Amino acid sequence: MSNRSIGLDEPLYRYLLDHSLREPDLLAELRAETAVLPEANMQIAPEQGQFMALLARLMGAKRYLEIGTFTGYSALAIALALPEDGEIVTLDQSAEWTATAQSYWERAGVDGRIRLELGEARDSLRALEATGEMDTFDLAFIDADKTGYHDYFEHCLRLVRPGGLILVDNTLWHGTVADPDDARDDTCAIRAFNDALHHDERIDLSLVPIGDGLTLARRR
Ligand SMILES: C[S@@+](CC[C@H](N)C(=O)[O-])C[C@H]1O[C@@H](n2cnc3c(N)ncnc32)[C@H](O)[C@@H]1O
């Protein structure tokens, strides 16, 4: 018995995957293709994709906004969980990585419901607000440059409807947020972000220790 979250060593993590992961073949293939890239660790963990897809289904989400597409894993995981008339807007600045994403979305037959906006995320977010998409998203996922998290979160609070959910990735940042000797820009940005959300009265909050730490913020 315990009244605190359990840590996962390698055998226990393996057990978790072996006894709960239901990764569709195409997602597994995308994960394998991405694994050869030097930046492969930017991709979310498969159990996190499954968890996010479950949240989308629980909410009956139809519109999903994503900041940080990379090779398309999280967008595909959510696309497979949305209804036929679901819509995804995903933002990234890399034409190269998102070309892989688009090929997998096509193969999965979900490309018609995914709108990729290439460019600087802040510009795309400002454009979404300017074109009347405020309060229209059910679910958002922030997973791009860490020093941008504060701005991305403020945009998402306007773009997600009241009662909608904002997910934020890497909020435990490999454990370094709790290391007082780590003063790198990304670590400091995530610490400041976590502190700001802790007492933010505009949201309901939970920081879930899945993947690299996933914050759930429900817009009140
Ligand atoms: C951690 S990866 C996203 C991983 C993805 N969600 C997945 O499931 O595989 C971060 C992505 O954010 C993009 N990115 C970083 N800074 C950005 C910015 N300022 N504007 C737009 N995209 C950015 C990068 O090109 C990269 O593809």
Side-chain angles (χ1 to χ4, degrees):
M1 299 287 277
S2 171
N3 61 358
R4 50 163 290 162
S5 300
I6 193 168
L8 296 179
D9 59 11
E10 193 56 35
L12 190 53
Y13 180 57
R14 179 51 48 196
Y15 177 92
L16 180 153
L17 294 181
D18 288 347
H19 293 82
S20 70
L21 190 63
R22 299 176 173 186
E23 190 177 37
D25 289 345
L26 213 47
L27 279 176
E29 199 180 316
L30 173 53
R31 196 151 59 85
E33 181 169 338
T34 304
V36 301
L37 300 177
E39 302 84 2
N41 68 352
M42 293 208 298
Q43 189 172 60
I44 59 166
E47 69 276 16
Q48 179 178 333
Q50 185 171 318
F51 179 62
M52 289 170 52
L54 179 63
L55 290 175
R57 286 206 171 97
L58 280 169
M59 295 177 68
K62 280 193 171 183
R63 280 177 56 82
Y64 169 66
L65 170 64
E66 178 175 88
I67 304 156
T69 316
F70 190 39
T71 57
Y73 190 99
S74 45
L76 181 53
I78 297 295
L80 295 173
L82 293 189
E84 284 284 313
D85 59 345
E87 289 176 58
I88 291 179
V89 178
T90 183
L91 316 179
D92 207 291
Q93 60 193 4
S94 166
E96 187 187 339
W97 288 330
T98 56
T100 302
Q102 284 173 302
S103 74
Y104 276 83
W105 300 337
E106 278 166 27
R107 286 177 60 197
V110 296
D111 51 310
R113 63 178 90 142
I114 303 180
R115 189 169 108 213
L116 171 68
E117 301 279 359
L118 269 184
E120 168 57 44
R122 283 181 183 81
D123 296 338
S124 303
L125 288 162
R126 273 194 289 270
L128 287 173
E129 289 186 20
T131 51
E133 299 201 47
M134 287 201 284
D135 298 326
T136 65
F137 291 92
D138 303 298
L139 183 63
F141 181 42
I142 299 173
D143 189 18
D145 52 308
K146 309 311 162 195
T147 50
Y149 270 24
H150 171 81
D151 287 352
Y152 300 151
F153 188 76
E154 291 302 316
H155 280 291
C156 284
L157 266 181
R158 293 189 287 270
L159 289 160
V160 161
R161 64 168 167 81
L165 186 64
I166 303 167
L167 306 172
V168 191
D169 203 25
N170 308 109
T171 47
L172 293 178
W173 204 225
H174 317 292
T176 57
V177 284
D179 175 359
D181 294 330
D182 190 326
R184 289 174 299 169
D185 288 350
D186 285 349
T187 311
C188 292
I190 292 176
R191 276 196 205 107
F193 177 77
N194 287 338
D195 288 346
L197 259 62
H198 190 189
H199 300 294
D200 190 328
E201 292 296 327
R202 299 171 297 176
I203 54 163
D204 301 314
L205 178 69
S206 183
L207 201 175
V208 180
I210 189 170
D212 193 25
L214 181 68
T215 290
L216 277 62
R218 177 190 169 274
R219 181 181 167 191
R220 288 181 168 159

